[in-house]
Amino acid sequence: MTPRTGHIGLNVTDLDRSLGFYRDVLGFGMLGEGKEEDRRYAFLGGESGLVLTLWQQAQGVHDTDRAGLHHLALEVDSIDQVKAYETALRGYGVEFAYEGVVAHEEGGTSGGIFFHDPDGSRLEIYAQSGAEGAPAPSESAPTCGFF
């Protein structure tokens, strides 16, 4: 048996700002938090339990040139939900890697949106189907691998 992902932990520079993004824009519920000045953190999740932990201990934004987390992919049930998140994220001022919903691969049925959180961590919200006819940014490589 292989292990399953239990939750993802992200270092952030400003916990309050990141909570505004992950809780208020993406809709994660607050499951717990630490408020000591030098040990601030938040446990976020939903019906399925703990999904994400935010740790206020980073000194700078995400560095794509260093080994570590490439991106965090969040799955939803439909492309309509992906588009609803896109609208909410645009209202928050998020910049996207690609314009609108893109397919994961040329001619693929799965696809989503690709963007960055307030600290530059790369995020994806996708659905397994519904992206038929959406453009793929690259013919030869997975869309999620190079943004």
Side-chain angles (χ1 to χ4, degrees):
M1 181 166 111
T2 59
R4 294 177 301 282
T5 302
H7 66 275
I8 304 295
L10 294 177
N11 284 339
V12 300
T13 58
D14 181 330
L15 186 61
D16 294 326
R17 179 181 68 176
S18 292
L19 278 172
F21 181 78
Y22 285 97
R23 184 188 57 208
D24 301 341
V25 179
L26 295 183
F28 284 103
M30 175 80 81
L31 302 179
E33 64 182 315
K35 297 181 180 182
E36 295 176 37
E37 186 60 35
D38 62 338
R39 294 186 180 269
R40 295 197 64 212
Y41 61 88
F43 296 146
L44 304 176
E47 298 163 3
S48 63
L50 179 63
V51 175
L52 186 63
T53 58
L54 303 175
W55 306 94
Q56 184 174 293
Q57 54 189 2
Q59 300 303 313
V61 297
H62 179 77
D63 185 351
T64 59
D65 293 333
R66 301 181 89 176
L69 180 72
H70 182 275
H71 75 283
L72 174 59
L74 305 167
E75 183 179 359
V76 295
D77 293 330
S78 71
I79 288 295
D80 287 339
Q81 287 177 305
V82 172
K83 291 176 181 177
Y85 276 108
E86 179 185 13
T87 299
L89 289 162
R90 285 195 190 284
Y92 191 77
V94 168
E95 292 185 31
F96 291 81
Y98 310 112
E99 188 59 39
V101 172
V102 295
H104 281 135
E105 62 186 351
E106 189 73 30
T109 60
S110 66
I113 54 176
F114 299 83
F115 55 97
H116 297 85
D117 79 356
D119 285 307
S121 293
R122 295 180 286 200
L123 300 170
E124 166 187 2
I125 297 179
Y126 74 97
Q128 288 288 346
S129 62
E132 297 85 351
S138 171
E139 292 179 20
S140 60
T143 299
C144 60
F146 299 94
F147 76 100

PDB file of all heavy atoms in Angstrom, residues 4 12 14 27-28 35 37 42 47 55 73 78 81 91-93 107 117 129 133 135-136 145-146:
ATOM      1  N   ARG A   4      -1.048   7.990   1.285  1.00  0.00           N
ATOM      2  CA  ARG A   4      -1.929   8.996   0.689  1.00  0.00           C
ATOM      3  C   ARG A   4      -1.505  10.375   1.209  1.00  0.00           C
ATOM      4  O   ARG A   4      -0.955  10.482   2.300  1.00  0.00           O
ATOM      5  CB  ARG A   4      -3.384   8.743   1.085  1.00  0.00           C
ATOM      6  CG  ARG A   4      -3.953   7.460   0.531  1.00  0.00           C
ATOM      7  CD  ARG A   4      -5.386   7.227   1.015  1.00  0.00           C
ATOM      8  NE  ARG A   4      -5.530   7.157   2.470  1.00  0.00           N
ATOM      9  CZ  ARG A   4      -5.223   6.099   3.213  1.00  0.00           C
ATOM     10  NH1 ARG A   4      -4.726   5.016   2.655  1.00  0.00           N
ATOM     11  NH2 ARG A   4      -5.411   6.119   4.516  1.00  0.00           N
ATOM     12  N   VAL A  12       4.262  30.805   4.616  1.00  0.00           N
ATOM     13  CA  VAL A  12       3.752  32.087   4.129  1.00  0.00           C
ATOM     14  C   VAL A  12       4.460  33.222   4.851  1.00  0.00           C
ATOM     15  O   VAL A  12       5.001  33.038   5.947  1.00  0.00           O
ATOM     16  CB  VAL A  12       2.220  32.204   4.295  1.00  0.00           C
ATOM     17  CG1 VAL A  12       1.508  31.101   3.523  1.00  0.00           C
ATOM     18  CG2 VAL A  12       1.806  32.179   5.762  1.00  0.00           C
ATOM     19  N   ASP A  14       2.866  36.281   5.492  1.00  0.00           N
ATOM     20  CA  ASP A  14       1.876  37.045   6.255  1.00  0.00           C
ATOM     21  C   ASP A  14       0.629  36.183   6.396  1.00  0.00           C
ATOM     22  O   ASP A  14      -0.149  36.031   5.446  1.00  0.00           O
ATOM     23  CB  ASP A  14       1.574  38.349   5.516  1.00  0.00           C
ATOM     24  CG  ASP A  14       0.573  39.239   6.225  1.00  0.00           C
ATOM     25  OD1 ASP A  14      -0.308  38.724   6.946  1.00  0.00           O
ATOM     26  OD2 ASP A  14       0.663  40.458   6.041  1.00  0.00           O
ATOM     27  N   GLY A  27     -12.369  29.499  -0.148  1.00  0.00           N
ATOM     28  CA  GLY A  27     -13.450  28.869   0.600  1.00  0.00           C
ATOM     29  C   GLY A  27     -13.064  27.807   1.611  1.00  0.00           C
ATOM     30  O   GLY A  27     -13.930  27.099   2.120  1.00  0.00           O
ATOM     31  N   PHE A  28     -11.781  27.696   1.950  1.00  0.00           N
ATOM     32  CA  PHE A  28     -11.394  26.726   2.972  1.00  0.00           C
ATOM     33  C   PHE A  28     -11.889  27.191   4.338  1.00  0.00           C
ATOM     34  O   PHE A  28     -11.837  28.381   4.659  1.00  0.00           O
ATOM     35  CB  PHE A  28      -9.869  26.570   3.022  1.00  0.00           C
ATOM     36  CG  PHE A  28      -9.316  25.764   1.891  1.00  0.00           C
ATOM     37  CD1 PHE A  28      -8.688  26.382   0.830  1.00  0.00           C
ATOM     38  CD2 PHE A  28      -9.426  24.384   1.884  1.00  0.00           C
ATOM     39  CE1 PHE A  28      -8.171  25.645  -0.223  1.00  0.00           C
ATOM     40  CE2 PHE A  28      -8.923  23.631   0.834  1.00  0.00           C
ATOM     41  CZ  PHE A  28      -8.293  24.263  -0.221  1.00  0.00           C
ATOM     42  N   LYS A  35      -1.828  31.448  17.586  1.00  0.00           N
ATOM     43  CA  LYS A  35      -1.759  32.907  17.528  1.00  0.00           C
ATOM     44  C   LYS A  35      -0.561  33.511  18.245  1.00  0.00           C
ATOM     45  O   LYS A  35      -0.439  34.718  18.319  1.00  0.00           O
ATOM     46  CB  LYS A  35      -3.041  33.500  18.122  1.00  0.00           C
ATOM     47  CG  LYS A  35      -4.285  33.129  17.340  1.00  0.00           C
ATOM     48  CD  LYS A  35      -5.505  33.760  17.973  1.00  0.00           C
ATOM     49  CE  LYS A  35      -6.753  33.391  17.211  1.00  0.00           C
ATOM     50  NZ  LYS A  35      -7.941  34.024  17.772  1.00  0.00           N
ATOM     51  N   GLU A  37       2.828  35.157  18.794  1.00  0.00           N
ATOM     52  CA  GLU A  37       3.506  36.048  17.849  1.00  0.00           C
ATOM     53  C   GLU A  37       4.571  35.349  17.023  1.00  0.00           C
ATOM     54  O   GLU A  37       4.677  35.564  15.821  1.00  0.00           O
ATOM     55  CB  GLU A  37       4.120  37.241  18.600  1.00  0.00           C
ATOM     56  CG  GLU A  37       4.709  38.290  17.680  1.00  0.00           C
ATOM     57  CD  GLU A  37       3.689  38.905  16.722  1.00  0.00           C
ATOM     58  OE1 GLU A  37       2.522  39.084  17.095  1.00  0.00           O
ATOM     59  OE2 GLU A  37       4.075  39.191  15.573  1.00  0.00           O
ATOM     60  N   ALA A  42      -2.243  28.237  10.708  1.00  0.00           N
ATOM     61  CA  ALA A  42      -3.674  27.970  10.537  1.00  0.00           C
ATOM     62  C   ALA A  42      -3.855  26.615   9.877  1.00  0.00           C
ATOM     63  O   ALA A  42      -3.118  26.261   8.951  1.00  0.00           O
ATOM     64  CB  ALA A  42      -4.319  29.064   9.693  1.00  0.00           C
ATOM     65  N   GLU A  47     -15.195  19.523   4.458  1.00  0.00           N
ATOM     66  CA  GLU A  47     -15.936  18.322   4.833  1.00  0.00           C
ATOM     67  C   GLU A  47     -15.038  17.097   4.958  1.00  0.00           C
ATOM     68  O   GLU A  47     -15.287  16.214   5.769  1.00  0.00           O
ATOM     69  CB  GLU A  47     -17.039  18.059   3.812  1.00  0.00           C
ATOM     70  CG  GLU A  47     -18.054  19.165   3.726  1.00  0.00           C
ATOM     71  CD  GLU A  47     -18.880  19.099   2.457  1.00  0.00           C
ATOM     72  OE1 GLU A  47     -18.712  18.156   1.659  1.00  0.00           O
ATOM     73  OE2 GLU A  47     -19.703  20.009   2.262  1.00  0.00           O
ATOM     74  N   TRP A  55       1.891  28.177   7.536  1.00  0.00           N
ATOM     75  CA  TRP A  55       2.870  28.443   8.580  1.00  0.00           C
ATOM     76  C   TRP A  55       3.520  29.784   8.302  1.00  0.00           C
ATOM     77  O   TRP A  55       4.181  29.953   7.275  1.00  0.00           O
ATOM     78  CB  TRP A  55       3.936  27.346   8.603  1.00  0.00           C
ATOM     79  CG  TRP A  55       3.365  25.975   8.717  1.00  0.00           C
ATOM     80  CD1 TRP A  55       3.079  25.118   7.688  1.00  0.00           C
ATOM     81  CD2 TRP A  55       2.981  25.303   9.906  1.00  0.00           C
ATOM     82  NE1 TRP A  55       2.542  23.958   8.170  1.00  0.00           N
ATOM     83  CE2 TRP A  55       2.478  24.041   9.541  1.00  0.00           C
ATOM     84  CE3 TRP A  55       3.025  25.644  11.263  1.00  0.00           C
ATOM     85  CZ2 TRP A  55       2.006  23.121  10.478  1.00  0.00           C
ATOM     86  CZ3 TRP A  55       2.557  24.728  12.188  1.00  0.00           C
ATOM     87  CH2 TRP A  55       2.064  23.490  11.793  1.00  0.00           C
ATOM     88  N   ALA A  73      -2.444  21.481  -6.745  1.00  0.00           N
ATOM     89  CA  ALA A  73      -3.601  21.324  -7.623  1.00  0.00           C
ATOM     90  C   ALA A  73      -4.829  21.003  -6.785  1.00  0.00           C
ATOM     91  O   ALA A  73      -4.811  20.075  -5.973  1.00  0.00           O
ATOM     92  CB  ALA A  73      -3.356  20.212  -8.636  1.00  0.00           C
ATOM     93  N   SER A  78     -16.658  20.371 -11.566  1.00  0.00           N
ATOM     94  CA  SER A  78     -17.059  20.768 -12.921  1.00  0.00           C
ATOM     95  C   SER A  78     -16.277  21.985 -13.408  1.00  0.00           C
ATOM     96  O   SER A  78     -15.752  22.760 -12.608  1.00  0.00           O
ATOM     97  CB  SER A  78     -18.558  21.097 -12.948  1.00  0.00           C
ATOM     98  OG  SER A  78     -18.806  22.317 -12.250  1.00  0.00           O
ATOM     99  N   GLN A  81     -17.547  25.181 -11.980  1.00  0.00           N
ATOM    100  CA  GLN A  81     -16.957  25.555 -10.700  1.00  0.00           C
ATOM    101  C   GLN A  81     -15.583  26.188 -10.900  1.00  0.00           C
ATOM    102  O   GLN A  81     -15.236  27.156 -10.211  1.00  0.00           O
ATOM    103  CB  GLN A  81     -16.841  24.341  -9.781  1.00  0.00           C
ATOM    104  CG  GLN A  81     -18.176  23.882  -9.229  1.00  0.00           C
ATOM    105  CD  GLN A  81     -18.022  22.634  -8.390  1.00  0.00           C
ATOM    106  OE1 GLN A  81     -17.487  21.631  -8.854  1.00  0.00           O
ATOM    107  NE2 GLN A  81     -18.489  22.704  -7.150  1.00  0.00           N
ATOM    108  N   GLY A  91     -11.669  38.981  -9.142  1.00  0.00           N
ATOM    109  CA  GLY A  91     -12.156  40.029  -8.250  1.00  0.00           C
ATOM    110  C   GLY A  91     -11.185  40.342  -7.128  1.00  0.00           C
ATOM    111  O   GLY A  91     -11.137  41.460  -6.617  1.00  0.00           O
ATOM    112  N   TYR A  92     -10.383  39.368  -6.759  1.00  0.00           N
ATOM    113  CA  TYR A  92      -9.367  39.526  -5.722  1.00  0.00           C
ATOM    114  C   TYR A  92      -8.088  40.140  -6.288  1.00  0.00           C
ATOM    115  O   TYR A  92      -7.214  40.552  -5.541  1.00  0.00           O
ATOM    116  CB  TYR A  92      -9.073  38.158  -5.100  1.00  0.00           C
ATOM    117  CG  TYR A  92      -8.235  38.189  -3.854  1.00  0.00           C
ATOM    118  CD1 TYR A  92      -8.783  38.550  -2.622  1.00  0.00           C
ATOM    119  CD2 TYR A  92      -6.890  37.854  -3.897  1.00  0.00           C
ATOM    120  CE1 TYR A  92      -8.019  38.569  -1.471  1.00  0.00           C
ATOM    121  CE2 TYR A  92      -6.112  37.869  -2.747  1.00  0.00           C
ATOM    122  CZ  TYR A  92      -6.676  38.226  -1.542  1.00  0.00           C
ATOM    123  OH  TYR A  92      -5.902  38.245  -0.405  1.00  0.00           O
ATOM    124  N   GLY A  93      -7.987  40.215  -7.618  1.00  0.00           N
ATOM    125  CA  GLY A  93      -6.818  40.808  -8.264  1.00  0.00           C
ATOM    126  C   GLY A  93      -5.716  39.837  -8.621  1.00  0.00           C
ATOM    127  O   GLY A  93      -4.591  40.251  -8.900  1.00  0.00           O
ATOM    128  N   GLY A 107      -6.027  18.447 -26.917  1.00  0.00           N
ATOM    129  CA  GLY A 107      -7.158  17.546 -27.135  1.00  0.00           C
ATOM    130  C   GLY A 107      -7.696  16.896 -25.874  1.00  0.00           C
ATOM    131  O   GLY A 107      -8.563  16.027 -25.937  1.00  0.00           O
ATOM    132  N   ASP A 117      -0.595  32.319  -5.457  1.00  0.00           N
ATOM    133  CA  ASP A 117      -1.148  32.857  -4.214  1.00  0.00           C
ATOM    134  C   ASP A 117      -0.379  34.126  -3.841  1.00  0.00           C
ATOM    135  O   ASP A 117       0.548  34.527  -4.555  1.00  0.00           O
ATOM    136  CB  ASP A 117      -1.146  31.790  -3.109  1.00  0.00           C
ATOM    137  CG  ASP A 117       0.198  31.571  -2.430  1.00  0.00           C
ATOM    138  OD1 ASP A 117       1.218  32.174  -2.829  1.00  0.00           O
ATOM    139  OD2 ASP A 117       0.228  30.765  -1.485  1.00  0.00           O
ATOM    140  N   SER A 129     -13.189  16.723 -16.288  1.00  0.00           N
ATOM    141  CA  SER A 129     -13.811  16.776 -17.617  1.00  0.00           C
ATOM    142  C   SER A 129     -14.457  18.138 -17.818  1.00  0.00           C
ATOM    143  O   SER A 129     -14.619  18.899 -16.879  1.00  0.00           O
ATOM    144  CB  SER A 129     -14.844  15.655 -17.768  1.00  0.00           C
ATOM    145  OG  SER A 129     -15.879  15.824 -16.819  1.00  0.00           O
ATOM    146  N   GLY A 133     -12.115  21.220 -26.112  1.00  0.00           N
ATOM    147  CA  GLY A 133     -12.069  22.399 -26.973  1.00  0.00           C
ATOM    148  C   GLY A 133     -11.282  23.564 -26.386  1.00  0.00           C
ATOM    149  O   GLY A 133     -11.021  24.542 -27.080  1.00  0.00           O
ATOM    150  N   PRO A 135      -8.022  25.570 -25.245  1.00  0.00           N
ATOM    151  CA  PRO A 135      -6.652  25.517 -25.772  1.00  0.00           C
ATOM    152  C   PRO A 135      -5.692  24.888 -24.766  1.00  0.00           C
ATOM    153  O   PRO A 135      -5.910  24.938 -23.561  1.00  0.00           O
ATOM    154  CB  PRO A 135      -6.310  26.993 -25.989  1.00  0.00           C
ATOM    155  CG  PRO A 135      -7.166  27.723 -25.008  1.00  0.00           C
ATOM    156  CD  PRO A 135      -8.440  26.921 -24.902  1.00  0.00           C
ATOM    157  N   ALA A 136      -4.640  24.299 -25.284  1.00  0.00           N
ATOM    158  CA  ALA A 136      -3.542  23.804 -24.451  1.00  0.00           C
ATOM    159  C   ALA A 136      -2.337  24.688 -24.749  1.00  0.00           C
ATOM    160  O   ALA A 136      -1.967  24.855 -25.906  1.00  0.00           O
ATOM    161  CB  ALA A 136      -3.231  22.351 -24.777  1.00  0.00           C
ATOM    162  N   GLY A 145       2.908  21.611 -15.872  1.00  0.00           N
ATOM    163  CA  GLY A 145       4.321  21.452 -15.572  1.00  0.00           C
ATOM    164  C   GLY A 145       5.178  22.676 -15.775  1.00  0.00           C
ATOM    165  O   GLY A 145       6.275  22.764 -15.229  1.00  0.00           O
ATOM    166  N   PHE A 146       4.706  23.642 -16.538  1.00  0.00           N
ATOM    167  CA  PHE A 146       5.571  24.755 -16.919  1.00  0.00           C
ATOM    168  C   PHE A 146       4.864  26.096 -16.847  1.00  0.00           C
ATOM    169  O   PHE A 146       4.718  26.788 -17.835  1.00  0.00           O
ATOM    170  CB  PHE A 146       6.130  24.527 -18.326  1.00  0.00           C
ATOM    171  CG  PHE A 146       6.952  23.266 -18.394  1.00  0.00           C
ATOM    172  CD1 PHE A 146       6.390  22.067 -18.794  1.00  0.00           C
ATOM    173  CD2 PHE A 146       8.281  23.277 -17.985  1.00  0.00           C
ATOM    174  CE1 PHE A 146       7.139  20.902 -18.822  1.00  0.00           C
ATOM    175  CE2 PHE A 146       9.035  22.118 -18.005  1.00  0.00           C
ATOM    176  CZ  PHE A 146       8.464  20.926 -18.433  1.00  0.00           C
TER     177      PHE A 146
END
